Amino acid sequence: MSQVDSSSAKKSTELTLIDKLSRLSYQQTLKLLGSDGPKLLRAGDSWDFRIEEDVYLNEDLFRLKFPLAPGETESPPVVTISLMDPSNGRLRWNCTVCESLCEHVGAAFSFILDEKMTLGLAAPPPERVPVESLSEQELIERAIEERRERARTERMIVKSAEPEQPWTDYAVSNTISGKTYRVAVRGREPGDSYCSCPDFRTNTLGTCKHILHVLAKLKRRFTETELKRPYHRRTIGVHVQYRDQATLRLLLPERLDPEASEVLGKLRDRDIEDVPDLLKRIQNLERRGRTINIYPDAEEFIQRRLLQDRIARRVAEIRRQPESHPLRRELLKAELLPYQLDGIAFAAGAGRAVLADDMGLGKTIQAIGVSELLVREAGISKVLVICPASVKSQWRNEIRRFCDRDCQLIAGSIASRGAQYANNCFFTVCNYEQVLRDILSIERVNWDLIILDEGQRIKNWEAKTSRVIKGLRSRFALVLSGTPLENRLDELYSVVQFIDDRRLGPAFRFYNHHRVVDEKGKVLGYKNLAELREKLQPVLLRRTRQSVSQQLPPRTNEIIRITPTQEQIDLHHSHMRLVNRITRKKFLTEMDLLRLQKHLLMCRMSANSTFLVDKKAPGYSSKLEELDDLFDRLFSEENRKVLLFSEWTTMLDLIEPLLKKRGLSFVRLDGSVPQKLRQGLVHEFQGNPGCRLFLTTNAGSTGLNLQAAN
Ligand SMILES: [Zn+2]
Ligand SMILES: [Zn+2]
């Protein structure tokens, strides 16, 4: 057993274990574990933990059970981490097998750091000065200073292509992550140089920690005179220039020979809009044996532009009159509503898009339609759907219902999962947790289209899963989100980053421009939203139920399947065991039958909330959590009226606080309401626009007419 203090911005005494673990960084953990830290943390790679079965976490205790190796029969190690004493905020840990600090504890910390999002632990890191109070210039300086700091402190290995001169190409490797980036250093000012890292592509600063690291080394290695000599370009290149917008540009030597000058001269120092024209000119020169260096990001830019142009023409044709377009009947096995075909065309045309329609408008069918349309227009053949585990089989059902493409759900051991991703199946459906585990197999596949269902789940940018998901590459992408993102700017930012990592600019500038904060950095509200909406218009489509109400059928059914919590499952199992014991008997007495009914009832109740069975507060219920989420979405819609049935009045008791915390007005009708008062409640719901919800038990509702609900 051991103990260490770790620092934090909030006073230690106020922190729960969950707060503490949320704030735990890699560096702090290294400090906690002492000199063997890196080795101990790497031990985490030796085990594959199942979140549902092996992990327990509450406000005071984290417990991780290690799986038994095959053939082992002794009890497996269990590591617990808790707060030593709430008043001093120190972490303490224990391993049931080892005496001193061991690799099990290391693995437990490594697991916590990796799975913060899944464990519900992630919180954004504390900020030194709220970015919202800085000017544009201060922002840029601060952002560059942060990168300079990392360039100073992180260890990197630099290899020069021509060591005798400063302005040349470098390979820069990070000694911790092992990643290597290509850096072309052409001068000391931001914007002079290029790096292939993701930060450089998106930060609009014209520099990154790799470039700054190389520049610092050059300053020690070369004299001031040597560094003052400007770079003389000798070759012709095409690159993307990252200013406010990414634009395609030529890199030309100062003196261009007559041949090249005739073909490319007039494009010097200009943003290139006409991509087909540029390609013709490049081909022209290459046919004469000239070499033109197209940087990887420029190549990607060109490809995307060409395909977009072609699809854009097709999409414009569909969107002119979706209601009478033949694709409504031909695209899928079911007839599409006009707004659905329009949404499909929009998403396919945008290439990478967010579809944030109100619930129940058919986002899944539109996603399947996008896949079909892209088969026809862009020849795609591999689609990855990433969704919550609970809706995987629902996706397969819908795919079978609406089209004839084959579909697989990822399952099984690591090795067999790897083979599944790589096979020829058109639709591959996996859940968010699998992405992190299987990332190497997933990255090896050339996905044409990636669909994120419930895309707002990638909101937390600190967690590893969200980083991994944002790093996934595909030509096309579609995010389905059930939450109106305008109310949640951080979710919106994350989602759009996946779609187009440059559209909203770097995070520091985005928050500065759209968040209103007080002097302590607390968010008070949002601003410049009209401008934001305009910026998002090309990639985000959101239709409300009201805006398409005339196209909608009178009623649609949607079944949402919800995975119970471990506590609910345990409770359910304990009663099922008793049920099994009774049903195995040869003869059932009256008492047996009564008991059987009782235990079956308990099973059904535990599926709603453990509180219904054991009356122990707070009770565990994934249904209530989902309902809480659902309320967010439903009541953000104007004029939404909801009718909610539950068999149990206790369940209604548990639901009421969810409504009260939102200040929603509702009526409740259960068996305890006298007959003569019932009609009044119905009138209230039917007639008062402010009354949003009708809560009732099955028994209470018979014979009542509640058409106001929608
Ligand atoms: Zn141990
Ligand atoms: Zn870089």
Side-chain angles (χ1 to χ4, degrees):
M1 200 173 289
S2 188
Q3 60 172 77
V4 167
D5 194 13
S6 77
S7 62
S8 167
K10 201 170 158 186
K11 255 201 300 186
S12 288
T13 47
E14 299 162 8
L15 295 179
T16 64
L17 178 70
I18 287 182
D19 289 334
K20 195 88 180 165
L21 294 182
S22 294
R23 285 164 172 74
L24 195 64
S25 71
Y26 182 76
Q27 293 302 333
Q28 286 172 330
T29 314
L30 282 183
K31 238 190 270 171
L32 279 172
L33 298 180
S35 55
D36 275 345
K39 205 181 92 204
L40 291 173
L41 284 177
R42 271 198 303 276
D45 294 341
S46 330
W47 288 280
D48 197 7
F49 299 106
R50 297 154 302 175
I51 297 239
E52 300 80 20
E53 289 111 274
D54 302 335
V55 185
Y56 175 81
L57 174 68
N58 71 11
E59 289 285 307
D60 331 290
L61 182 72
F62 170 86
R63 189 175 62 219
L64 181 64
K65 201 174 81 197
F66 282 68
L68 271 183
E72 263 180 2
T73 49
E74 284 180 34
S75 50
V78 175
V79 169
T80 51
I81 298 175
S82 57
L83 284 178
M84 173 147 263
D85 167 359
S87 65
N88 70 11
R90 289 172 182 190
L91 286 178
R92 91 168 134 192
W93 52 76
N94 180 49
C95 170
T96 53
V97 174
C98 312
E99 290 289 310
S100 56
L101 187 54
C102 61
E103 55 182 9
H104 303 115
V105 171
F109 274 107
S110 151
F111 178 79
I112 290 170
L113 291 173
D114 282 353
E115 302 281 349
K116 275 191 181 179
M117 183 171 85
T118 333
L119 293 169
L121 281 177
E127 288 181 338
R128 281 166 287 180
V129 186
V131 290
E132 289 80 358
S133 59
L134 297 176
S135 75
E136 176 79 8
Q137 195 49 42
E138 287 170 322
L139 277 174
I140 292 173
E141 276 160 24
R142 197 177 93 146
I144 292 183
E145 192 42 53
E146 275 169 8
R147 284 159 181 84
R148 190 167 287 129
E149 172 84 25
R150 300 184 66 183
R152 258 198 304 269
T153 53
E154 289 179 22
R155 288 200 51 208
M156 299 181 209
I157 298 168
V158 177
K159 286 205 187 98
S160 169
E162 302 157 286
E164 66 284 356
Q165 53 178 320
W167 311 138
T168 181
D169 292 352
Y170 297 85
V172 179
S173 319
N174 190 310
T175 48
I176 296 174
S177 71
K179 283 221 164 72
T180 298
Y181 297 107
R182 198 179 135 214
V183 182
V185 180
R186 299 292 182 257
R188 282 188 285 188
E189 293 304 312
D192 286 347
S193 304
Y194 163 85
C195 176
S196 62
C197 77
D199 181 51
F200 182 81
R201 277 172 51 88
T202 57
N203 67 26
T204 70
L205 298 167
T207 190
C208 69
K209 64 178 181 185
H210 307 107
I211 293 173
L212 291 167
H213 186 87
V214 174
L215 285 175
K217 280 206 169 128
L218 294 181
K219 210 173 159 198
R220 293 194 291 272
R221 207 169 292 163
F222 292 91
T223 65
E224 186 60 22
T225 344
E226 283 169 313
L227 291 177
K228 275 210 174 111
R229 227 172 277 147
Y231 170 70
H232 286 295
R233 178 168 298 286
R234 282 155 298 174
T235 57
I236 300 173
V238 182
H239 79 143
V240 178
Q241 190 175 67
Y242 299 105
R243 295 262 165 91
D244 281 346
Q245 292 276 307
T247 53
L248 207 56
R249 286 262 187 160
L250 277 181
L251 295 166
L252 299 175
E254 241 148 85
R255 290 226 189 85
L256 207 53
D257 60 277
E259 183 183 61
S261 181
E262 187 202 321
V263 182
L264 297 176
K266 71 168 201 173
L267 296 181
R268 186 190 284 276
D269 295 332
R270 279 179 37 197
D271 294 347
I272 298 165
E273 292 296 332
D274 191 344
V275 171
D277 172 71
L278 174 71
L279 288 186
K280 257 184 241 147
R281 289 166 192 272
I282 290 175
Q283 274 164 5
N284 182 342
L285 280 181
E286 281 179 338
R287 267 201 299 274
R288 301 186 212 178
R290 306 288 297 259
T291 308
I292 287 143
N293 180 16
I294 302 180
Y295 282 79
D297 51 346
E299 191 172 325
E300 202 181 298
F301 189 100
I302 290 170
Q303 294 286 8
R304 207 165 47 213
R305 182 64 73 78
L306 290 177
L307 186 71
Q308 273 170 8
D309 288 352
R310 208 165 59 76
I311 296 179
R313 286 191 290 275
R314 173 73 167 145
V315 160
E317 182 249 316
I318 296 173
R319 298 195 75 190
R320 254 195 305 277
Q321 237 175 357
E323 57 281 353
S324 58
H325 200 282
L327 277 183
R328 271 186 65 197
R329 275 169 208 87
E330 288 166 12
L331 191 63
L332 298 180
K333 294 198 299 197
E335 183 172 333
L336 290 160
L337 298 169
Y339 76 84
Q340 291 174 332
L341 179 61
D342 188 58
I344 290 167
F346 166 83
R352 304 177 68 87
V354 183
L355 193 58
D357 287 345
D358 271 354
M359 282 193 62
L361 295 191
K363 286 191 285 285
T364 310
I365 189 175
Q366 292 181 72
I368 298 167
V370 170
S371 315
E372 275 298 320
L373 188 59
L374 287 175
V375 171
R376 298 177 184 210
E377 299 303 321
I380 69 166
S381 60
K382 284 289 278 177
V383 178
L384 179 66
V385 177
I386 305 174
C387 63
S390 54
V391 301
K392 273 162 83 181
S393 50
Q394 218 167 306
W395 264 95
R396 182 172 53 194
N397 296 343
E398 303 269 288
I399 287 168
R400 283 183 183 155
R401 194 168 131 212
F402 295 125
C403 72
D404 290 320
R405 310 268 163 210
D406 45 353
C407 168
Q408 60 179 349
L409 305 188
I410 294 295
S413 66
I414 291 186
S416 69
R417 295 203 301 265
Q420 289 163 32
Y421 290 108
N423 67 19
N424 285 328
C425 194
F426 186 86
F427 282 107
T428 299
V429 183
C430 71
N431 51 278
Y432 282 89
E433 291 74 17
Q434 286 173 331
V435 174
L436 193 59
R437 308 243 163 104
D438 300 345
I439 183 63
L440 293 176
S441 310
I442 293 175
E443 275 178 344
R444 269 196 289 272
V445 178
N446 196 0
W447 302 103
D448 296 308
L449 166 64
I450 294 181
I451 297 171
L452 299 187
D453 186 10
E454 304 254 8
Q456 67 275 19
R457 281 176 189 243
I458 59 170
K459 69 180 161 186
N460 203 306
W461 49 277
E462 197 197 25
K464 192 170 172 183
T465 311
S466 80
R467 269 209 313 279
V468 165
I469 286 176
K470 280 187 213 164
L472 292 176
R473 292 276 157 246
S474 62
R475 285 155 74 201
F476 300 98
L478 179 62
V479 175
L480 308 178
S481 170
T483 318
L485 292 159
E486 285 168 2
N487 311 336
R488 307 185 182 193
L489 239 50
D490 49 343
E491 291 181 10
L492 176 75
Y493 185 79
S494 271
V495 164
V496 174
Q497 252 205 330
F498 171 70
I499 288 302
D500 177 353
D501 56 9
R502 301 185 48 87
R503 177 154 300 270
L504 295 179
F508 65 86
R509 197 170 284 152
F510 175 78
Y511 287 122
N512 180 273
H513 196 59
H514 292 295
R515 262 196 326 215
V516 183
V517 296
D518 64 13
E519 67 279 7
K520 284 184 187 141
K522 186 168 172 280
V523 179
L524 302 175
Y526 300 125
K527 59 183 178 181
N528 301 322
L529 287 181
E531 185 191 326
L532 179 60
R533 249 170 248 136
E534 194 179 322
K535 225 186 259 177
L536 289 174
Q537 205 205 338
V539 296
L540 187 144
L541 184 64
R542 164 164 171 74
R543 275 83 49 96
T544 60
R545 171 167 290 274
Q546 214 173 359
S547 71
V548 295
S549 59
Q550 284 173 328
Q551 299 177 22
L552 287 176
R555 196 183 82 183
T556 52
N557 296 323
E558 187 175 356
I559 295 169
I560 302 176
R561 289 181 203 284
I562 299 160
T563 315
T565 69
Q566 191 57 47
E567 293 81 2
Q568 287 176 280
I569 292 174
D570 290 346
L571 196 58
H572 188 272
H573 283 354
S574 68
H575 286 283
M576 272 316 283
R577 269 194 295 277
L578 296 171
V579 167
N580 288 335
R581 197 176 299 161
I582 297 170
T583 53
R584 270 199 302 271
K585 288 185 172 183
K586 285 218 175 86
F587 303 102
L588 296 187
T589 65
E590 284 296 307
M591 274 315 289
D592 284 334
L593 280 174
L594 271 179
R595 273 206 302 273
L596 190 60
Q597 276 172 5
K598 182 187 150 209
H599 290 304
L600 286 172
L601 181 68
M602 293 298 169
C603 284
R604 286 202 296 129
M605 283 180 160
S606 67
N608 269 5
S609 167
T610 57
F611 185 79
L612 296 190
V613 180
D614 59 19
K615 306 289 182 216
K616 277 188 218 144
Y620 296 92
S621 169
S622 52
K623 268 194 195 175
L624 280 176
E625 285 164 27
E626 180 74 25
L627 193 63
D628 202 19
D629 228 39
L630 197 61
F631 283 161
D632 264 350
R633 285 177 259 167
L634 287 173
F635 293 115
S636 64
E637 296 175 25
E638 257 176 73
N639 305 327
R640 178 61 98 168
K641 285 217 174 210
V642 175
L643 185 58
L644 195 154
F645 290 104
S646 175
E647 195 173 343
W648 292 291
T649 50
T650 315
M651 198 62 191
L652 296 185
D653 294 342
L654 296 176
I655 291 168
E656 278 196 16
L658 301 183
L659 300 167
K660 285 183 177 143
K661 80 175 181 194
R662 291 178 169 78
L664 286 168
S665 139
F666 63 93
V667 289
R668 169 170 169 166
L669 198 166
D670 56 39
S672 70
V673 177
Q675 199 66 38
K676 58 178 189 226
L677 293 181
R678 295 189 176 190
Q679 207 53 46
L681 293 180
V682 175
H683 279 314
E684 167 72 8
F685 180 68
Q686 293 281 80
N688 178 0
C691 179
R692 305 290 295 275
L693 201 118
F694 194 95
L695 284 181
T696 181
T697 51
N698 283 330
S701 69
T702 17
L704 296 173
N705 194 350
L706 296 163
Q707 287 146 338
N710 52 20

